[in-house]
Amino acid sequence: MVTNGEHLAAKFFDRGDVFDPDCPTRLILDRIGDKWTVLALLLLSKGPLRFTELRDGIGRVAPKVLTQTLRRLERDGLISREVFAEVPPRVVYTLTPMGESLITPIRAVSDWAEEHVPAISAAQNSYDLDNA
Amino acid sequence: MVTNGEHLAAKFFDRGDVFDPDCPTRLILDRIGDKWTVLALLLLSKGPLRFTELRDGIGRVAPKVLTQTLRRLERDGLISREVFAEVPPRVVYTLTPMGESLITPIRAVSDWAEEHVPAISAAQNSYDLDNA
DNA sequence: CGCCGACAGTAACCATTGGTAACTGGCTAC
DNA sequence: GTAGCCAGTTACCAATGGTTACTGTCGGCG
């Protein structure tokens, strides 16, 4: 009988351990799911960019938050950060090969999202009507 | 010359508007990126589940938070919620066709995450060493 | 008869995080 | 000499996520 999580996970997915609460995969999924991470990576997928280019390309992101996002991505080895000792300062962000390998999956998700905007809006409207 | 976000977006991506800050696509991406959403959807991809089955399958998720997640998914039309007037109560969650269409993209992402756990851990360690 | 437990959640509360507005520092162009 | 550029940082606040405890209904057990 399947009554607990371990059984469920074992039954349905033995190819990985996303469903183990102590698995680091969760942390990575969280990172990828981050609000700005996906946007930043997609922007960088076409070539290196500077801080302000990313900032403007994303739009309405506070510099502090963008810095956090980029630092995390750098720490995870998905982007590299190159500082030029010039004035005004220049910092260029580039996807690493690992970062590039993530582009295909996340583009699939973002494409899906774009495609389904109307359907989801419709679903939300009818849900809100029913629960008025 | 490409110096601002509008130009960047126009140059690189004319197939969508993820890069328009006012685009609803962002909201959807946020939803998909939610910590528990992906786990819940992947669990449901193998068949309908009850509340506690989801709860146990995910592990360490507070009921309140799971409820929020499931309500949002229901509102977005990705899952359906069926209540049986029994005692003890029974509530079954099922993927809608639209929900099913999201499985392939998010599985791609979660597969990527599982594959790259070691590489990312390594990157983090060396980053932390360099910035000790 | 009275109590316990199962299920699917709420309610009240607290901690962490995300986000905003304002400021830094070095240099250069006006 | 002062205003502005870039790439941030600091101090602060609101919102969100998370934890613990509780609810309601009924069947089964003692």
Side-chain angles (χ1 to χ4, degrees):
Chain A
M1 229 190 124
V2 176
T3 47
N4 65 40
E6 244 177 294
H7 282 153
L8 276 174
K11 187 184 173 196
F12 292 154
F13 307 92
D14 19 36
R15 63 184 175 68
D17 44 3
V18 205
F19 293 102
D20 174 5
D22 296 321
C23 173
T25 307
R26 295 244 177 136
L27 299 174
I28 299 176
L29 271 182
D30 273 12
R31 175 83 4 105
I32 298 173
D34 179 78
K35 193 169 177 178
W36 309 110
T37 297
V38 176
L39 280 319
L41 289 175
L42 287 178
L43 272 178
L44 286 173
S45 72
K46 293 297 178 179
L49 292 174
R50 311 177 54 169
F51 187 85
T52 40
E53 291 171 335
L54 282 165
R55 192 193 193 304
D56 296 342
I58 290 176
R60 311 239 188 98
V61 58
K64 174 191 135 186
V65 178
L66 184 57
T67 302
Q68 285 174 350
T69 303
L70 295 173
R71 284 298 190 293
R72 280 194 285 245
L73 286 173
E74 192 197 356
R75 192 173 103 100
D76 292 345
L78 295 173
I79 66 175
S80 69
R81 178 171 175 274
E82 206 179 351
V83 184
F84 295 86
E86 306 171 356
V87 170
R90 189 160 61 98
V91 177
V92 174
Y93 295 91
T94 315
L95 281 186
T96 62
M98 179 156 69
E100 277 170 23
S101 74
L102 179 53
I103 293 298
T104 306
I106 65 177
R107 185 129 58 198
V109 172
S110 95
D111 284 350
W112 184 95
E114 280 183 16
E115 268 174 44
H116 292 79
V117 168
I120 290 181
S121 291
Q124 289 176 348
N125 286 338
S126 78
Y127 181 94
D128 292 347
L129 277 180
D130 291 353
N131 305 59
Chain B
M1 230 190 122
V2 175
T3 47
N4 66 40
E6 243 176 294
H7 282 156
L8 278 174
K11 186 185 175 199
F12 292 153
F13 307 91
D14 19 36
R15 67 188 170 68
D17 44 5
V18 205
F19 294 102
D20 174 4
D22 296 321
C23 172
T25 306
R26 296 246 177 137
L27 300 175
I28 299 176
L29 271 183
D30 273 11
R31 175 85 3 105
I32 297 174
D34 179 78
K35 194 168 179 181
W36 309 110
T37 298
V38 176
L39 278 321
L41 289 176
L42 287 178
L43 271 178
L44 286 173
S45 72
K46 292 296 176 178
L49 291 174
R50 311 176 54 167
F51 187 84
T52 40
E53 289 172 335
L54 282 166
R55 192 191 193 305
D56 296 341
I58 290 177
R60 311 240 187 97
V61 58
K64 174 190 134 186
V65 178
L66 183 57
T67 302
Q68 285 174 350
T69 304
L70 294 172
R71 285 294 192 291
R72 279 194 286 244
L73 286 173
E74 192 196 357
R75 192 173 102 100
D76 292 346
L78 296 173
I79 65 176
S80 69
R81 178 172 176 274
E82 205 178 351
V83 184
F84 296 86
E86 305 170 357
V87 170
R90 190 158 59 98
V91 178
V92 174
Y93 294 91
T94 314
L95 282 185
T96 62
M98 179 158 67
E100 277 170 23
S101 74
L102 178 53
I103 292 298
T104 305
I106 65 177
R107 185 127 60 198
V109 172
S110 94
D111 284 350
W112 185 97
E114 279 184 15
E115 267 174 45
H116 292 78
V117 168
I120 291 180
S121 291
Q124 290 177 348
N125 286 337
S126 78
Y127 181 93
D128 292 348
L129 277 180
D130 292 352
N131 304 59

